Amino acid sequence: MPEQNGLKPLMAAAEVNALLKEVYPQLNEHYDFYQVTDVFAGGCTVRLNADERHLRPGGTVSGPSLFTLADIGGYVCVLSHAGPDALSVTTNLNINFMRKAQAGPIDGHCRILKLGKSLMVFDIDIVAGPNQQTVAHATGTYSIPPKR
Amino acid sequence: MPEQNGLKPLMAAAEVNALLKEVYPQLNEHYDFYQVTDVFAGGCTVRLNADERHLRPGGTVSGPSLFTLADIGGYVCVLSHAGPDALSVTTNLNINFMRKAQAGPIDGHCRILKLGKSLMVFDIDIVAGPNQQTVAHATGTYSIPPKR
Amino acid sequence: MPEQNGLKPLMAAAEVNALLKEVYPQLNEHYDFYQVTDVFAGGCTVRLNADERHLRPGGTVSGPSLFTLADIGGYVCVLSHAGPDALSVTTNLNINFMRKAQAGPIDGHCRILKLGKSLMVFDIDIVAGPNQQTVAHATGTYSIPPKR
Amino acid sequence: MPEQNGLKPLMAAAEVNALLKEVYPQLNEHYDFYQVTDVFAGGCTVRLNADERHLRPGGTVSGPSLFTLADIGGYVCVLSHAGPDALSVTTNLNINFMRKAQAGPIDGHCRILKLGKSLMVFDIDIVAGPNQQTVAHATGTYSIPPKR
């Protein structure tokens, strides 16, 4: 069930990965930790390849690492569906951490709940492990600058 | 895709409606505004039959009315899946309002993201209108008191 | 410490109470449950006079009643500081419930964290009881429609 | 006005900095970006020394960098007030971004809204720039493991 009808991606995953590399080099300074794996109508999938650098006390993936994945998921939704204007910014993000995630691939399944002229609302299910259980869930809002 | 495996409801929708009437009479003082329409493994569906009493300036359903639907959705998830202890309480609820809803039936589709011993995390898609578009989305946490 | 310099209220508490009565009669249908008690530069104070109608299972003030107080607090901030346009709407509200509140007066101390052209962000400390302890805390965003 | 009476820190800022270095080396791998600058009864102050590594498109400090500061602020509140058990974890964090922050020192003023046996709720005002304006505000919950 689409949350908003008529959404159509303007860019594919590879194009968004290339754009991120160009405009946001700090994201993956030494390695492709954060990647776009899919862009589809009304959403996208992003991945964190977590290693020991992403761990916190207790040996599980840290909150900031999962927050970054959620934030990137929303950013990819904006870039791919509203156009490649790098200046959209997060205004709000709420995240719940539900289970511990080990190092390894962690996938975020994003959907656009609303794409308006100046705001986009999205949510993301973050899953990991052999059973692909939900380890975190986030909801956020991006502010979209007016077209120049 | 279930967010948590092995969840099984302990009560059906009619039983939860009867329980709500008994323990929480303030919810529907003069009319059955808020109802449970379905309980299934890992979630539930709740409905607000909105009339003019639920409207705010602009003639649309008010934020507090939709918040109440979200909160009830979580409460029904706890009651139906963790057992009919009325003393579970909300500790956090985050809600995004995305579109205006007119008076009429408004459905909340809830899923349990995590059911632990002392906390339950859930989210809810609130849809309305002829196209069943998402008008609001919420995520929340209930604290479950220890068994006596 | 003011969160934003140069904020100045355009309306006093009594004026906002009169405006609420006119544009939002559903809020206080039979009694003055929700009131504005103060408007000052950069914020306001709102009060819920809670009675048994606001209670939930366990005999404490319900989540929706406190959410309504938080939402009204933000609405009063917008009306008093951005002008009496009734059509501003909540886009996001996050609330944490921390302690149980008994029936009686419950005060919400609101401050404007940002007043922009199209969005206002606020937070509110909700206190109650003889020790005026914090029973809930919320943060929210209002969307302000363009001036006609 | 204290949000909870009787709170007393068990560790000073220098002790918490030393503990963080030991249990969470990933936080400041190559440089002391994140520091505790003060611990006081009922709260703490944390600082991010932001440089170009923390910037996002547009040249402003990224959301994940500010989220990390908020998360650390809550962690320091738990460690300093509930005791140095490194295994407390964030269960929820909600953050609003209000203004852009430039590279430079960014301070987070944290207060404990509730310290219970198993949960701690806190909020944080994040301020930056010559006018120390609020650039972000967050509210969060930490789960505290039972004492061994």
Side-chain angles (χ1 to χ4, degrees):
Chain A
M1 47 170 179
E3 281 60 41
Q4 181 167 338
N5 294 319
L7 290 178
K8 224 167 47 180
L10 309 167
M11 304 172 75
E15 294 170 280
V16 182
N17 277 318
L19 179 63
L20 285 176
K21 194 158 288 183
E22 185 197 326
V23 299
Y24 196 175
Q26 295 93 335
L27 180 64
N28 285 316
E29 216 163 349
H30 304 301
Y31 185 64
D32 281 341
F33 293 125
Y34 294 95
Q35 300 170 340
V36 188
T37 55
D38 194 17
V39 169
F40 49 88
C44 71
T45 306
V46 287
R47 172 170 289 185
L48 163 61
N49 293 299
D51 70 14
E52 60 173 25
R53 274 162 287 198
H54 301 97
L55 303 185
R56 50 150 284 143
T60 57
V61 176
S62 75
S65 300
L66 298 175
F67 175 92
T68 304
L69 185 65
D71 196 37
I72 287 298
Y75 195 44
V76 171
C77 283
V78 178
L79 292 174
S80 62
H81 283 73
D85 184 330
L87 296 181
S88 293
V89 291
T90 316
T91 58
N92 171 261
L93 206 145
N94 182 62
I95 186 162
N96 282 281
F97 300 101
M98 282 160 293
R99 292 178 185 86
K100 293 176 176 184
Q102 309 300 318
I106 298 178
D107 283 333
H109 300 284
C110 281
R111 57 181 186 154
I112 298 174
L113 296 173
K114 179 182 181 178
L115 179 57
K117 251 174 264 178
S118 62
L119 288 179
M120 187 203 69
V121 184
F122 71 101
D123 76 353
I124 179 168
D125 272 2
I126 299 180
V127 303
N131 300 320
Q132 292 287 291
Q133 274 211 306
T134 304
V135 296
H137 177 275
T139 317
T141 302
Y142 263 82
S143 169
I144 305 171
K147 294 266 181 281
R148 279 157 300 190
Chain B
M1 47 167 178
E3 279 64 36
Q4 182 167 336
N5 292 321
L7 291 179
K8 222 167 47 178
L10 310 167
M11 305 172 73
E15 293 172 279
V16 182
N17 277 318
L19 179 63
L20 285 176
K21 194 158 290 183
E22 185 197 325
V23 298
Y24 197 175
Q26 295 93 336
L27 180 65
N28 285 316
E29 215 165 350
H30 303 300
Y31 186 66
D32 281 342
F33 293 125
Y34 293 95
Q35 300 170 341
V36 187
T37 55
D38 194 17
V39 170
F40 50 86
C44 71
T45 308
V46 287
R47 173 170 288 185
L48 163 61
N49 292 299
D51 70 13
E52 62 173 23
R53 274 163 285 198
H54 301 97
L55 303 185
R56 50 151 282 142
T60 57
V61 176
S62 75
S65 301
L66 297 175
F67 174 92
T68 303
L69 185 66
D71 195 37
I72 287 297
Y75 195 44
V76 171
C77 284
V78 178
L79 292 174
S80 62
H81 284 72
D85 184 330
L87 296 181
S88 293
V89 293
T90 317
T91 57
N92 171 260
L93 206 146
N94 181 63
I95 186 162
N96 282 282
F97 300 101
M98 282 159 294
R99 293 178 185 86
K100 293 176 177 185
Q102 310 299 318
I106 298 178
D107 284 334
H109 300 286
C110 281
R111 57 180 185 155
I112 297 173
L113 296 173
K114 177 182 182 178
L115 179 58
K117 253 175 263 178
S118 62
L119 288 178
M120 188 205 68
V121 184
F122 72 101
D123 77 352
I124 179 168
D125 271 3
I126 299 180
V127 304
N131 300 321
Q132 291 288 291
Q133 273 211 308
T134 303
V135 297
H137 176 275
T139 316
T141 302
Y142 263 83
S143 170
I144 305 172
K147 294 266 181 279
R148 279 159 298 190
Chain C
M1 46 169 181
E3 280 61 40
Q4 183 167 338
N5 293 319
L7 291 178
K8 222 166 49 177
L10 310 167
M11 304 171 74
E15 294 170 280
V16 182
N17 277 317
L19 179 63
L20 284 176
K21 195 157 287 184
E22 184 196 326
V23 299
Y24 196 175
Q26 294 94 335
L27 180 64
N28 284 316
E29 217 164 348
H30 303 301
Y31 186 67
D32 281 342
F33 292 126
Y34 293 95
Q35 300 170 343
V36 187
T37 55
D38 194 17
V39 170
F40 49 87
C44 71
T45 307
V46 288
R47 172 170 289 185
L48 163 60
N49 292 299
D51 69 14
E52 62 173 23
R53 277 162 284 199
H54 300 97
L55 303 185
R56 51 151 282 142
T60 56
V61 176
S62 75
S65 301
L66 296 176
F67 174 91
T68 304
L69 185 66
D71 196 36
I72 287 298
Y75 196 43
V76 171
C77 283
V78 179
L79 292 174
S80 62
H81 283 75
D85 185 329
L87 297 181
S88 293
V89 292
T90 315
T91 58
N92 170 261
L93 205 144
N94 181 64
I95 186 163
N96 283 282
F97 300 102
M98 282 161 291
R99 293 179 185 87
K100 294 177 177 183
Q102 311 299 319
I106 297 177
D107 284 332
H109 300 285
C110 281
R111 57 181 185 155
I112 298 173
L113 295 172
K114 180 184 179 176
L115 179 59
K117 254 176 260 178
S118 62
L119 289 178
M120 187 204 68
V121 184
F122 72 101
D123 77 353
I124 179 169
D125 272 2
I126 299 181
V127 303
N131 299 321
Q132 293 287 294
Q133 274 211 305
T134 303
V135 297
H137 177 274
T139 316
T141 303
Y142 264 82
S143 169
I144 304 171
K147 293 268 179 280
R148 279 160 298 193
Chain D
M1 46 170 183
E3 281 60 42
Q4 182 167 337
N5 293 320
L7 291 178
K8 223 166 49 178
L10 310 167
M11 303 172 75
E15 293 171 280
V16 183
N17 277 319
L19 179 64
L20 285 176
K21 196 157 288 183
E22 183 196 325
V23 298
Y24 196 175
Q26 295 93 335
L27 180 65
N28 285 315
E29 216 164 350
H30 303 302
Y31 186 66
D32 282 340
F33 293 126
Y34 294 95
Q35 300 170 339
V36 187
T37 54
D38 194 17
V39 169
F40 49 87
C44 71
T45 306
V46 288
R47 173 170 288 186
L48 163 60
N49 292 299
D51 70 13
E52 63 173 22
R53 276 163 285 198
H54 301 97
L55 303 186
R56 48 151 283 141
T60 57
V61 176
S62 75
S65 301
L66 296 176
F67 174 92
T68 303
L69 185 65
D71 196 35
I72 287 297
Y75 196 44
V76 171
C77 284
V78 178
L79 292 173
S80 62
H81 283 73
D85 184 331
L87 296 181
S88 293
V89 291
T90 316
T91 58
N92 171 261
L93 206 145
N94 181 64
I95 186 162
N96 282 282
F97 300 102
M98 283 161 291
R99 294 180 184 85
K100 294 176 176 181
Q102 310 300 318
I106 298 178
D107 284 332
H109 300 286
C110 281
R111 57 181 185 155
I112 297 173
L113 296 173
K114 180 183 180 178
L115 179 59
K117 253 175 261 178
S118 62
L119 289 178
M120 188 206 67
V121 184
F122 71 100
D123 76 353
I124 180 169
D125 272 3
I126 299 180
V127 304
N131 299 320
Q132 292 287 293
Q133 274 212 306
T134 304
V135 296
H137 177 274
T139 317
T141 303
Y142 264 82
S143 169
I144 304 171
K147 292 268 179 280
R148 281 159 297 190

